[in-house]
Amino acid sequence: GFMYACVGSYLARVWRLFDFQFTRHPPLWAVGLLSVAIYVNFFTHHYTVDVRWGLFVIAALLFGPAWVHFKVWRVHRRMPLLIGLILVALFIWFAENIGTFTAAWVYPSQKDGWAMVSPAKLGAWFLLMILSYTMVAALHGVVRYRGMAPKAAATGVEREAT
């Protein structure tokens, strides 16, 4: 539970620090429906059909065209939002492996000795990223990328927000 809370807290913090703005962001209602489906699947996949692969496809369709613009030292840079979510999930998985290697916590399969956390957990972390992302997007709102003022574009210095 602590790591789940950390993910949401991390997203909320970087959203503000890096002044996230977006191009071609999917509608929040669609992201919200995806998150509900992810949450339901987290519980029901033990008893019914696991629809995880379908959720990955829907996430790719929704977030594939979207770009996140983030500010680093006065200049907005951009990256595909889907790649950003995948990278964060990857680094959470790295942290999970470090945590189990140092015995900060141990999974039942590791009680007789450390073993790498299954790469299949990457998918679970990615889906968790969508849940956390949805809550933070609903909290902060999705701001459309404002771009650079014409004069600033020539100098490479971004205009101040008005």
Side-chain angles (χ1 to χ4, degrees):
F2 178 73
M3 278 188 71
Y4 298 138
C6 289
V7 170
S9 177
Y10 161 78
L11 277 174
R13 182 84 172 133
V14 297
W15 199 294
R16 285 190 313 270
L17 286 176
F18 293 108
D19 185 30
F20 280 4
Q21 297 173 27
F22 301 90
T23 304
R24 294 192 306 265
H25 192 279
L28 279 180
W29 64 265
V31 176
L33 286 176
L34 173 61
S35 291
V36 168
I38 290 168
Y39 192 73
V40 168
N41 191 65
F42 275 151
F43 294 103
T44 61
H45 82 274
H46 298 291
Y47 310 105
T48 63
V49 177
D50 186 359
V51 295
R52 189 175 322 197
W53 287 104
L55 296 170
F56 293 144
V57 169
I58 294 168
L61 291 172
L62 282 175
F63 291 106
W67 288 76
V68 59
H69 301 261
F70 54 96
K71 189 184 288 188
V72 176
W73 190 248
R74 300 186 200 151
V75 177
H76 268 101
R77 303 176 192 293
R78 69 183 189 136
M79 92 178 333
L81 181 55
L82 184 60
I83 297 297
L85 293 171
I86 290 169
L87 285 173
V88 173
L90 177 66
F91 282 100
I92 293 169
W93 180 74
F94 288 155
E96 184 178 28
N97 275 289
I98 292 168
T100 58
F101 181 76
T102 60
W105 70 89
V106 177
Y107 291 117
S109 64
Q110 298 170 324
K111 69 179 182 195
D112 295 326
W114 183 80
M116 185 174 76
V117 175
S118 169
K121 286 276 283 193
L122 277 167
W125 285 118
F126 174 75
L127 294 175
L128 169 75
M129 286 298 306
I130 303 294
L131 286 172
S132 297
Y133 178 88
T134 302
M135 289 186 279
V136 175
L139 176 69
H140 286 293
V142 174
V143 176
R144 176 188 255 173
Y145 179 60
R146 295 182 295 264
M148 295 172 56
K151 183 177 180 182
T155 63
V157 178
E158 184 182 14
R159 69 175 172 83
E160 291 298 314
T162 55

